[in-house]
Amino acid sequence: MTQLSAAAPAVGLVDEAAYLEAVAQARKAADAYYGSGESGLDDETYDRLLRGITAWEDAHPGQIAADSPSQQVAAGVTAGDVAHTVAMLSLGNVFSDEELTTWAISVQRRLGGASVAGWAVEPKLDGVALAARYREGRLVQLVTRGDGTTGEDVSHTIGDIIGLPLTLTEPVTIEVRGEVLMTEDQFAAANALRTAHGATAFANRRNASSGSLRAKDRAYRVGQTFLAYAALTDPGHTDDPILAGLTHTRLVARLAALGLGTTADTPLATRSYATLDEVLDRVREIGALRAGLDIELDGAVIKADNPADQILAGTGSRTPHWATAFKFPAAQKITVLRAVQWSVGRTGVIAPRAVLDPVDVAGTTITYATLHNPADIARRGLMLGDHVIVYRAGDVIPRVEGAVAGLRTGTEQPIDIPELCPRCGGGIDRSQERWRCARGRACGQKEAIRYAVARDALDIDGLGEKIIVQLVDKGLIEDFADLFTLTHDQLLTLDRSGAKSADNLIAAIETAKTKPLNRVFCALGVLGTGRSMSLRIAAHFGSMQAIRDADAVALAQVNGIGNDKAPVIVQELAELAPIIDKLIAAGVNMSQPGFVPPASTDAETDAETSAQNAKSELPLAGLTVVVTGTMTGPLADRSRTEMTELIAQAGGRASSSVSARTHLVVAGDNAGSKHDKAQALGIETITPEELAHRLAGHLT
Ligand code: IVH
């Protein structure tokens, strides 16, 4: 994740006038953000502005504006009416490995040069800070951060927040601090409730959290999630030793044991490390996890783990000196929704896609984003011309979270929702949230065939779109399985088809019969399985028969399928049975080369034992391998798909990103950041030629 060290550069301020202008702009955004929960600046732009302001202030300490947002916690707004016993602080930010190192050295200096006893690393949860007061184990009050000194009483939400039980497992008197946030489902439910009551949907999850906490007289209740990251003993109970002397890591575990929501027992759990290298690895690991999470993170937090170190390092007026946030590149940006395109997928699913003013999100220019389905558009109350928040974390497809209603001008237009299938003009099946053409797969017959013969699937040369259209329109084929029974004479009936090209096509189709199972399976276009999932399925089961025999439980064993996808695949395979039968009858290969059946738990028989041995003798057995750059030597011309297949056949697992879990990197010509990262992490790196040498005998 090289993106992690992409520092957000400061806005360069040339003179005092520019500085005061920047202060005014940041103030306005901060007031809006902490007030209505909705700001016209996205996080990254705001952070850059604030960095410019602090840089200028560092150089001109005599001219700091009294109302500069740098001077106050939560930019000095929204004081509520409940005093905090201990100020709720903010965190300083670092944006790169170097900045983190500089910060760690500054902590050490504060300890008089002594080493920090250990660093706790945990996610920076992107929600709203909340203090929950428990008296003798019972939840009595909830208070927002406010300006850090006083917050707002939001006790009316007691009972709505998962992770804040009404009673703890022990009768302790403590104040727990943490973040309230929404999972994707909670956000969808909150928007559905809100729009059903005639209000506009929330622009993003954090707005939804903040708005839902503070709304007092709502006719409905919104579910949220709380995750704790700190706790204090009540001032009246300071002799109570319940939290005394705990390291931060132990404290979080203790809070979990009391029944509070924490990240303990999840891959995001707070962990402690001795060295900065380990800290940086964990920060990267948390960054890599971000894409697959149900909650939003905007960084990792690094804290001196030991309470003695925390006290020695001390606390400034706004932030503690013993903790800081390593910010990830902003995953959210604001841009304008220009149009909505409706496409019909291979399986007849009708999907809306947002066309946006191009915007850079975490290093990638985003022009399109998914809008899921028509119900989702309605729930979010989106309109053309809206300023929308676009979200992208890691590798996931960018999506539109919602509209910033405060930026509407009145010129926004409603989004046209199709009445008929945008591809075939037929009816639409609206029985589920995800609309489908009433003709299902038949609507996308030609697209399905094109998908089946494309490079990542059967890779049939010379079978372009024009030929497919003619074959279908003349009634010569109904699906791609019919290709395998086409005759030379039938091909001659096509426009501009001579004997030679017909021969070539027949030969190419014949070759496709020998493709490995993963290609054949991929060609089926089963919902939710692309080329890499097809490879995993083929490598797991070894034969089409075994895949067809598998039930949802067996399919869910395949890495990445899980309990939601598995039944869909079973149903899809049942629908595709006639095509699969035709393929078998035509003599298409139905097995995976190099497949070794997994040993059963009691590997007693000789066959199983030798199969197990054969598997562990494969040259890449158990290794996670990343391929980067252009392949050379015997592997020149191999596509990434082919490299992935090759690695799987040699017992390894191909991955697209380098992490601490990578065992081997194959770096071809012009290998870039992945190669650099592998070297930085000390991962073994070899050339394509060296890989070919290791795989001698396994090259297909
Ligand atoms: S510790 C004295 N830990 O980030 C330490 N804060 O930008 C103060 N946040 O106000 C906070 N995850 O709302 C801490 N693991 C974490 C956090 C976290 C999210 C929030 C919190 C804080 C803000 C500062």
Side-chain angles (χ1 to χ4, degrees):
M1 290 224 50
T2 45
Q3 318 170 0
L4 284 192
S5 39
V11 170
L13 299 175
V14 285
D15 55 19
E16 190 175 7
Y19 164 71
L20 291 174
E21 167 66 20
V23 166
Q25 206 185 339
R27 267 247 72 83
K28 195 165 152 226
D31 287 349
Y33 176 78
Y34 291 106
S36 66
E38 203 174 69
S39 154
L41 294 184
D42 49 64
D43 283 4
E44 190 168 303
T45 315
Y46 182 76
D47 275 351
R48 288 181 51 210
L49 198 61
L50 211 57
R51 293 201 128 208
I53 290 172
T54 6
W56 198 86
E57 289 173 349
D58 286 348
H60 306 86
Q63 298 171 43
I64 300 179
D67 65 341
S68 165
S70 72
Q71 300 300 296
Q72 292 133 311
V73 177
V77 282
T78 336
D81 46 14
V82 182
H84 289 299
T85 48
V86 174
M88 280 186 87
L89 297 177
S90 181
L91 285 169
N93 290 331
V94 298
F95 291 86
S96 66
D97 295 12
E98 296 70 37
E99 288 183 8
L100 183 70
T101 312
T102 309
W103 172 79
I105 294 169
S106 77
V107 180
Q108 198 165 332
R109 207 175 305 123
R110 287 179 190 277
L111 303 189
S115 300
V116 173
W119 299 106
V121 186
E122 63 191 8
K124 183 164 188 319
L125 308 157
D126 195 2
V128 178
L130 189 72
R133 295 178 173 172
Y134 282 88
R135 194 174 304 133
E136 281 155 14
R138 284 192 35 250
L139 180 54
V140 291
Q141 193 176 33
L142 297 181
V143 187
T144 65
R145 180 169 74 160
D147 65 0
T149 314
T150 35
E152 201 173 321
D153 189 313
V154 292
S155 304
H156 57 278
T157 59
I158 287 179
D160 297 346
I161 303 174
I162 296 171
L164 282 177
L166 300 183
T167 48
L168 297 177
T169 56
E170 293 172 41
V172 291
T173 297
I174 53 171
E175 176 173 315
V176 183
R177 292 178 173 184
E179 208 79 352
V180 175
L181 37 79
M182 285 191 186
T183 62
E184 199 165 347
D185 287 349
Q186 286 172 334
F187 181 52
N191 271 339
L193 276 169
R194 199 170 148 83
T195 46
H197 284 80
T200 47
F202 292 111
N204 66 13
R205 298 198 216 172
R206 199 173 42 191
N207 293 348
S209 275
S210 150
S212 305
L213 271 182
R214 299 176 59 199
K216 287 224 160 68
D217 305 310
R218 284 252 168 87
Y220 53 92
R221 316 192 73 150
V222 170
Q224 302 211 58
T225 301
F226 176 86
L227 295 167
Y229 51 66
L232 348 152
T233 31
D234 183 85
H237 292 67
T238 38
D239 54 340
D240 193 339
I242 46 172
L243 303 174
L246 292 182
T247 60
H248 178 69
T249 320
R250 304 270 311 263
L251 171 73
V252 176
R254 172 95 175 100
L255 296 178
L258 285 170
L260 291 152
T262 68
T263 56
D265 301 324
T266 78
L268 296 173
T270 307
R271 294 198 195 134
S272 173
Y273 300 94
T275 71
L276 218 49
D277 277 348
E278 291 168 318
V279 168
L280 284 167
D281 276 351
R282 178 62 178 158
V283 168
R284 271 181 261 282
E285 208 168 73
I286 293 176
L289 286 169
R290 184 154 77 136
L293 296 175
D294 200 22
I295 57 170
E296 292 176 341
L297 312 183
D298 57 346
V301 182
I302 299 99
K303 299 174 175 172
D305 201 15
N306 199 307
D309 287 352
Q310 295 176 1
I311 292 165
L312 262 181
T315 295
S317 61
R318 296 172 45 241
T319 59
H321 296 310
W322 48 269
T324 196
F326 192 125
K327 291 290 281 279
F328 295 153
Q332 301 195 357
K333 277 288 181 72
I334 297 176
T335 186
V336 178
L337 173 63
R338 291 292 172 203
V340 174
Q341 296 175 344
W342 296 86
S343 65
V344 189
R346 296 194 303 279
T347 56
V349 170
I350 301 172
R353 175 168 92 148
V355 184
L356 308 162
D357 278 354
V359 59
D360 179 274
V361 188
T364 304
T365 304
I366 306 292
T367 319
Y368 301 103
T370 175
L371 287 168
H372 304 284
N373 55 56
D376 216 57
I377 294 181
R379 250 194 313 265
R380 288 168 210 251
L382 296 175
M383 299 184 81
L384 296 180
D386 261 339
H387 281 79
V388 290
I389 296 193
V390 186
Y391 181 86
R392 173 181 168 266
D395 296 322
V396 292
I397 304 168
R399 59 170 190 260
V400 171
E401 286 277 273
V404 187
L407 292 178
R408 285 210 168 130
T409 60
T411 57
E412 293 75 19
Q413 296 295 317
I415 293 170
D416 277 337
I417 306 287
E419 303 275 321
L420 297 169
C421 170
R423 181 162 52 202
C424 71
I428 296 179
D429 171 2
R430 296 185 174 81
S431 58
Q432 302 197 0
E433 278 209 347
R434 204 154 66 147
W435 291 1
R436 253 178 125 163
C437 170
R439 297 173 60 212
R441 273 174 198 280
C443 169
Q445 196 182 23
K446 289 168 190 158
E447 282 75 6
I449 298 171
R450 257 171 54 200
Y451 178 83
V453 304
R455 195 151 177 227
D456 282 340
L458 292 175
D459 194 14
I460 304 184
D461 243 7
L463 196 52
E465 180 166 6
K466 287 200 181 115
I467 301 187
I468 294 174
V469 170
Q470 288 188 60
L471 288 170
V472 173
D473 290 349
K474 284 180 190 284
L476 293 175
I477 60 172
E478 272 182 11
D479 52 51
F480 80 93
D482 294 335
L483 289 169
F484 294 101
T485 46
L486 277 176
T487 64
H488 188 264
D489 289 348
Q490 284 175 322
L491 288 179
L492 282 181
T493 66
L494 304 184
D495 291 350
R496 276 173 301 185
S497 171
K500 175 109 179 61
S501 60
D503 277 348
N504 288 346
L505 192 50
I506 294 273
I509 293 172
E510 204 53 33
T511 309
K513 284 188 184 169
T514 62
K515 292 278 173 189
L517 175 63
N518 63 294
R519 299 293 193 120
V520 180
F521 188 85
C522 183
L524 292 170
V526 174
L527 211 59
T529 68
R531 71 175 178 183
S532 37
M533 184 57 80
S534 298
L535 179 56
R536 276 187 235 161
I537 293 172
H540 185 95
F541 290 104
S543 72
M544 185 68 88
Q545 193 54 50
I547 300 175
R548 295 179 100 176
D549 289 344
D551 57 11
V553 176
L555 271 162
Q557 306 288 307
V558 178
N559 183 14
I561 290 190
N563 296 333
D564 292 343
K565 253 189 194 177
V568 179
I569 298 177
V570 172
Q571 193 198 334
E572 287 267 301
L573 285 171
E575 252 182 60
L576 289 161
I579 299 186
I580 302 174
D581 290 341
K582 272 198 263 184
L583 291 169
I584 295 171
V588 174
N589 169 55
M590 290 288 153
S591 61
Q592 189 67 355
F595 172 73
V596 180
S600 67
T601 38
D602 50 5
E604 280 170 2
T605 68
D606 287 353
E608 277 166 352
T609 316
S610 68
Q612 191 59 15
N613 287 340
K615 199 163 200 169
S616 60
E617 277 164 15
L618 290 171
L620 300 178
L623 300 187
T624 299
V625 184
V626 173
V627 175
T628 177
T630 312
M631 293 300 98
T632 50
L635 299 177
D637 300 331
R638 300 255 177 167
S639 67
R640 280 287 183 274
T641 310
E642 289 167 333
M643 290 302 293
T644 303
E645 290 168 354
L646 196 59
I647 291 164
Q649 281 162 23
R653 194 182 78 82
S655 160
S656 57
S657 61
V658 176
S659 75
R661 286 186 300 270
T662 309
H663 298 105
L664 182 66
V665 170
V666 182
D669 281 353
N670 301 319
S673 58
K674 291 185 192 175
H675 185 209
D676 299 344
K677 186 164 173 196
Q679 296 210 309
L681 292 172
I683 296 167
E684 185 186 1
T685 305
I686 60 172
T687 62
E689 285 77 4
E690 286 167 319
L691 178 70
H693 184 70
R694 281 198 202 184
L695 300 186
H698 289 268
L699 285 183
T700 48

